[in-house]
mmCIF file of all heavy atoms in Angstrom:
data_model
loop_
_atom_site.group_PDB
_atom_site.id
_atom_site.type_symbol
_atom_site.label_atom_id
_atom_site.label_comp_id
_atom_site.label_asym_id
_atom_site.label_seq_id
_atom_site.Cartn_x
_atom_site.Cartn_y
_atom_site.Cartn_z
ATOM 1 N N ILE P 9 154.349 -91.416 209.763
ATOM 2 C CA ILE P 9 154.570 -92.836 209.983
ATOM 3 C C ILE P 9 155.414 -93.066 211.242
ATOM 4 O O ILE P 9 155.253 -94.087 211.904
ATOM 5 C CB ILE P 9 155.190 -93.519 208.760
ATOM 6 C CG1 ILE P 9 156.455 -92.835 208.287
ATOM 7 C CG2 ILE P 9 154.150 -93.652 207.641
ATOM 8 C CD1 ILE P 9 157.171 -93.573 207.159
ATOM 9 N N THR P 10 156.268 -92.098 211.592
ATOM 10 C CA THR P 10 156.998 -92.230 212.843
ATOM 11 C C THR P 10 156.020 -92.081 214.034
ATOM 12 O O THR P 10 156.161 -92.828 215.043
ATOM 13 C CB THR P 10 158.101 -91.178 212.897
ATOM 14 O OG1 THR P 10 159.070 -91.455 211.925
ATOM 15 C CG2 THR P 10 158.769 -91.154 214.315
ATOM 16 N N GLU P 11 155.065 -91.214 213.922
ATOM 17 C CA GLU P 11 154.035 -91.059 214.900
ATOM 18 C C GLU P 11 153.251 -92.308 215.109
ATOM 19 O O GLU P 11 152.935 -92.743 216.242
ATOM 20 C CB GLU P 11 153.137 -89.908 214.575
ATOM 21 C CG GLU P 11 153.781 -88.533 214.628
ATOM 22 C CD GLU P 11 152.858 -87.386 214.219
ATOM 23 O OE1 GLU P 11 151.969 -87.626 213.415
ATOM 24 O OE2 GLU P 11 153.085 -86.270 214.736
ATOM 25 N N MET P 12 152.898 -92.962 214.007
ATOM 26 C CA MET P 12 152.138 -94.224 214.043
ATOM 27 C C MET P 12 152.933 -95.325 214.670
ATOM 28 O O MET P 12 152.396 -96.180 215.409
ATOM 29 C CB MET P 12 151.638 -94.585 212.666
ATOM 30 C CG MET P 12 150.714 -93.582 212.045
ATOM 31 S SD MET P 12 150.194 -94.008 210.350
ATOM 32 C CE MET P 12 148.781 -95.118 210.680
ATOM 33 N N LEU P 13 154.251 -95.378 214.376
ATOM 34 C CA LEU P 13 155.092 -96.437 214.906
ATOM 35 C C LEU P 13 155.372 -96.281 216.388
ATOM 36 O O LEU P 13 155.373 -97.272 217.144
ATOM 37 C CB LEU P 13 156.420 -96.474 214.124
ATOM 38 C CG LEU P 13 157.366 -97.644 214.464
ATOM 39 C CD1 LEU P 13 156.830 -98.918 213.837
ATOM 40 C CD2 LEU P 13 158.778 -97.343 214.003
ATOM 41 N N THR P 14 155.608 -95.031 216.836
ATOM 42 C CA THR P 14 156.055 -94.811 218.233
ATOM 43 C C THR P 14 154.942 -94.362 219.154
ATOM 44 O O THR P 14 155.077 -94.468 220.386
ATOM 45 C CB THR P 14 157.175 -93.755 218.272
ATOM 46 O OG1 THR P 14 156.667 -92.537 217.815
ATOM 47 C CG2 THR P 14 158.355 -94.181 217.359
ATOM 48 N N GLY P 15 153.872 -93.738 218.604
ATOM 49 C CA GLY P 15 152.817 -93.210 219.466
ATOM 50 C C GLY P 15 153.071 -91.813 219.948
ATOM 51 O O GLY P 15 152.278 -91.276 220.723
ATOM 52 N N PHE P 16 154.121 -91.141 219.505
ATOM 53 C CA PHE P 16 154.402 -89.790 219.955
ATOM 54 C C PHE P 16 154.038 -88.807 218.860
ATOM 55 O O PHE P 16 154.364 -88.996 217.693
ATOM 56 C CB PHE P 16 155.926 -89.672 220.285
ATOM 57 C CG PHE P 16 156.329 -90.371 221.572
ATOM 58 C CD1 PHE P 16 156.806 -91.647 221.514
ATOM 59 C CD2 PHE P 16 156.180 -89.743 222.791
ATOM 60 C CE1 PHE P 16 157.220 -92.337 222.653
ATOM 61 C CE2 PHE P 16 156.552 -90.392 223.964
ATOM 62 C CZ PHE P 16 157.045 -91.719 223.910
ATOM 63 N N ASP P 17 153.340 -87.733 219.236
ATOM 64 C CA ASP P 17 152.906 -86.699 218.337
ATOM 65 C C ASP P 17 154.030 -85.701 218.145
ATOM 66 O O ASP P 17 154.329 -84.878 219.003
ATOM 67 C CB ASP P 17 151.649 -85.995 218.892
ATOM 68 C CG ASP P 17 150.987 -85.066 217.855
ATOM 69 O OD1 ASP P 17 151.738 -84.266 217.240
ATOM 70 O OD2 ASP P 17 149.764 -85.150 217.719
ATOM 71 N N LEU P 18 154.704 -85.739 216.960
ATOM 72 C CA LEU P 18 155.846 -84.875 216.728
ATOM 73 C C LEU P 18 155.501 -83.419 216.614
ATOM 74 O O LEU P 18 156.270 -82.548 217.023
ATOM 75 C CB LEU P 18 156.580 -85.337 215.445
ATOM 76 C CG LEU P 18 157.360 -86.666 215.575
ATOM 77 C CD1 LEU P 18 157.815 -87.145 214.181
ATOM 78 C CD2 LEU P 18 158.561 -86.427 216.486
ATOM 79 N N VAL P 19 154.338 -83.116 216.057
ATOM 80 C CA VAL P 19 153.944 -81.693 215.912
ATOM 81 C C VAL P 19 153.701 -81.081 217.269
ATOM 82 O O VAL P 19 154.168 -79.958 217.558
ATOM 83 C CB VAL P 19 152.704 -81.588 215.027
ATOM 84 C CG1 VAL P 19 152.224 -80.124 214.961
ATOM 85 C CG2 VAL P 19 152.983 -82.055 213.608
ATOM 86 N N LYS P 20 152.991 -81.789 218.129
ATOM 87 C CA LYS P 20 152.762 -81.250 219.504
ATOM 88 C C LYS P 20 154.060 -81.061 220.240
ATOM 89 O O LYS P 20 154.262 -80.067 220.949
ATOM 90 C CB LYS P 20 151.800 -82.211 220.257
ATOM 91 C CG LYS P 20 150.375 -82.198 219.765
ATOM 92 C CD LYS P 20 149.516 -83.129 220.589
ATOM 93 C CE LYS P 20 148.082 -83.161 220.076
ATOM 94 N NZ LYS P 20 147.252 -84.115 220.829
ATOM 95 N N TRP P 21 154.964 -82.053 220.127
ATOM 96 C CA TRP P 21 156.236 -81.903 220.859
ATOM 97 C C TRP P 21 157.134 -80.873 220.203
ATOM 98 O O TRP P 21 157.933 -80.230 220.945
ATOM 99 C CB TRP P 21 156.920 -83.272 220.961
ATOM 100 C CG TRP P 21 156.461 -84.063 222.096
ATOM 101 C CD1 TRP P 21 155.666 -85.156 222.119
ATOM 102 C CD2 TRP P 21 156.668 -83.740 223.492
ATOM 103 N NE1 TRP P 21 155.381 -85.538 223.397
ATOM 104 C CE2 TRP P 21 155.975 -84.666 224.268
ATOM 105 C CE3 TRP P 21 157.358 -82.695 224.141
ATOM 106 C CZ2 TRP P 21 155.976 -84.628 225.676
ATOM 107 C CZ3 TRP P 21 157.390 -82.643 225.524
ATOM 108 C CH2 TRP P 21 156.718 -83.633 226.287
ATOM 109 N N GLN P 22 156.991 -80.627 218.951
ATOM 110 C CA GLN P 22 157.715 -79.508 218.329
ATOM 111 C C GLN P 22 157.274 -78.187 218.937
ATOM 112 O O GLN P 22 158.090 -77.317 219.231
ATOM 113 C CB GLN P 22 157.534 -79.522 216.833
ATOM 114 C CG GLN P 22 158.373 -78.459 216.089
ATOM 115 C CD GLN P 22 158.056 -78.434 214.599
ATOM 116 O OE1 GLN P 22 157.002 -78.837 214.150
ATOM 117 N NE2 GLN P 22 159.044 -78.006 213.835
ATOM 118 N N ILE P 23 155.975 -78.054 219.106
ATOM 119 C CA ILE P 23 155.405 -76.840 219.694
ATOM 120 C C ILE P 23 155.826 -76.723 221.178
ATOM 121 O O ILE P 23 156.237 -75.615 221.636
ATOM 122 C CB ILE P 23 153.907 -76.819 219.564
ATOM 123 C CG1 ILE P 23 153.531 -76.740 218.054
ATOM 124 C CG2 ILE P 23 153.268 -75.681 220.343
ATOM 125 C CD1 ILE P 23 152.038 -76.899 217.766
ATOM 126 N N ARG P 24 155.754 -77.819 221.873
ATOM 127 C CA ARG P 24 156.097 -77.773 223.335
ATOM 128 C C ARG P 24 157.582 -77.428 223.537
ATOM 129 O O ARG P 24 157.908 -76.595 224.404
ATOM 130 C CB ARG P 24 155.812 -79.150 223.954
ATOM 131 C CG ARG P 24 154.333 -79.453 224.065
ATOM 132 C CD ARG P 24 154.141 -80.816 224.713
ATOM 133 N NE ARG P 24 152.731 -81.193 224.742
ATOM 134 C CZ ARG P 24 152.238 -82.338 224.251
ATOM 135 N NH1 ARG P 24 153.087 -83.238 223.755
ATOM 136 N NH2 ARG P 24 150.935 -82.622 224.328
ATOM 137 N N THR P 25 158.487 -78.024 222.774
ATOM 138 C CA THR P 25 159.895 -77.703 222.972
ATOM 139 C C THR P 25 160.191 -76.262 222.618
ATOM 140 O O THR P 25 161.047 -75.590 223.223
ATOM 141 C CB THR P 25 160.794 -78.637 222.141
ATOM 142 O OG1 THR P 25 160.408 -78.615 220.775
ATOM 143 C CG2 THR P 25 160.685 -80.086 222.649
ATOM 144 N N ALA P 26 159.485 -75.701 221.589
ATOM 145 C CA ALA P 26 159.656 -74.289 221.256
ATOM 146 C C ALA P 26 159.177 -73.396 222.356
ATOM 147 O O ALA P 26 159.658 -72.272 222.531
ATOM 148 C CB ALA P 26 158.906 -73.962 219.952
ATOM 149 N N ALA P 27 158.205 -73.884 223.173
ATOM 150 C CA ALA P 27 157.670 -73.111 224.280
ATOM 151 C C ALA P 27 158.497 -73.298 225.546
ATOM 152 O O ALA P 27 158.162 -72.748 226.592
ATOM 153 C CB ALA P 27 156.217 -73.491 224.540
ATOM 154 N N GLY P 28 159.556 -74.106 225.463
ATOM 155 C CA GLY P 28 160.434 -74.293 226.623
ATOM 156 C C GLY P 28 160.008 -75.397 227.514
ATOM 157 O O GLY P 28 160.478 -75.452 228.694
ATOM 158 N N ILE P 29 159.172 -76.290 227.047
ATOM 159 C CA ILE P 29 158.716 -77.426 227.892
ATOM 160 C C ILE P 29 159.646 -78.596 227.705
ATOM 161 O O ILE P 29 159.887 -78.970 226.557
ATOM 162 C CB ILE P 29 157.252 -77.782 227.509
ATOM 163 C CG1 ILE P 29 156.323 -76.610 227.806
ATOM 164 C CG2 ILE P 29 156.780 -79.049 228.222
ATOM 165 C CD1 ILE P 29 154.899 -76.831 227.312
ATOM 166 N N PRO P 30 160.118 -79.189 228.777
ATOM 167 C CA PRO P 30 161.053 -80.312 228.613
ATOM 168 C C PRO P 30 160.356 -81.588 228.213
ATOM 169 O O PRO P 30 159.149 -81.772 228.482
ATOM 170 C CB PRO P 30 161.659 -80.428 230.026
ATOM 171 C CG PRO P 30 160.591 -79.919 230.949
ATOM 172 C CD PRO P 30 159.922 -78.795 230.187
ATOM 173 N N LEU P 31 161.107 -82.503 227.552
ATOM 174 C CA LEU P 31 160.565 -83.787 227.244
ATOM 175 C C LEU P 31 160.259 -84.538 228.519
ATOM 176 O O LEU P 31 161.028 -84.493 229.504
ATOM 177 C CB LEU P 31 161.572 -84.592 226.427
ATOM 178 C CG LEU P 31 162.044 -84.033 225.078
ATOM 179 C CD1 LEU P 31 163.033 -84.978 224.434
ATOM 180 C CD2 LEU P 31 160.871 -83.772 224.157
ATOM 181 N N ASN P 32 159.112 -85.253 228.555
ATOM 182 C CA ASN P 32 158.745 -86.001 229.757
ATOM 183 C C ASN P 32 158.934 -87.521 229.532
ATOM 184 O O ASN P 32 158.306 -88.332 230.212
ATOM 185 C CB ASN P 32 157.315 -85.714 230.175
ATOM 186 C CG ASN P 32 156.287 -86.106 229.130
ATOM 187 O OD1 ASN P 32 156.632 -86.656 228.075
ATOM 188 N ND2 ASN P 32 155.025 -85.814 229.418
ATOM 189 N N PHE P 33 159.790 -87.852 228.604
ATOM 190 C CA PHE P 33 160.099 -89.292 228.335
ATOM 191 C C PHE P 33 161.582 -89.380 227.856
ATOM 192 O O PHE P 33 162.188 -88.369 227.495
ATOM 193 C CB PHE P 33 159.189 -89.875 227.272
ATOM 194 C CG PHE P 33 159.179 -89.124 225.967
ATOM 195 C CD1 PHE P 33 159.984 -89.575 224.902
ATOM 196 C CD2 PHE P 33 158.338 -88.002 225.750
ATOM 197 C CE1 PHE P 33 159.985 -88.861 223.695
ATOM 198 C CE2 PHE P 33 158.360 -87.356 224.540
ATOM 199 C CZ PHE P 33 159.176 -87.779 223.506
ATOM 200 N N THR P 34 162.104 -90.561 227.910
ATOM 201 C CA THR P 34 163.523 -90.783 227.534
ATOM 202 C C THR P 34 163.584 -91.821 226.424
ATOM 203 O O THR P 34 162.583 -92.377 226.024
ATOM 204 C CB THR P 34 164.299 -91.302 228.748
ATOM 205 O OG1 THR P 34 163.876 -92.633 229.104
ATOM 206 C CG2 THR P 34 164.228 -90.356 229.954
#
């Protein structure tokens, strides 16, 4: 429901941050 409200995919960003990729939004 957070994904639906904000438009951000939490699972993908969880994977990206674990791979050392920085957030590209604030």
Side-chain angles (χ1 to χ4, degrees):
I9 53 173
T10 294
E11 293 178 330
M12 298 178 84
L13 186 76
T14 65
F16 289 93
D17 190 313
L18 286 170
V19 176
K20 289 181 182 177
W21 274 108
Q22 184 183 26
I23 293 170
R24 290 180 185 128
T25 54
I29 297 173
L31 300 181
N32 62 3
F33 57 95
T34 66

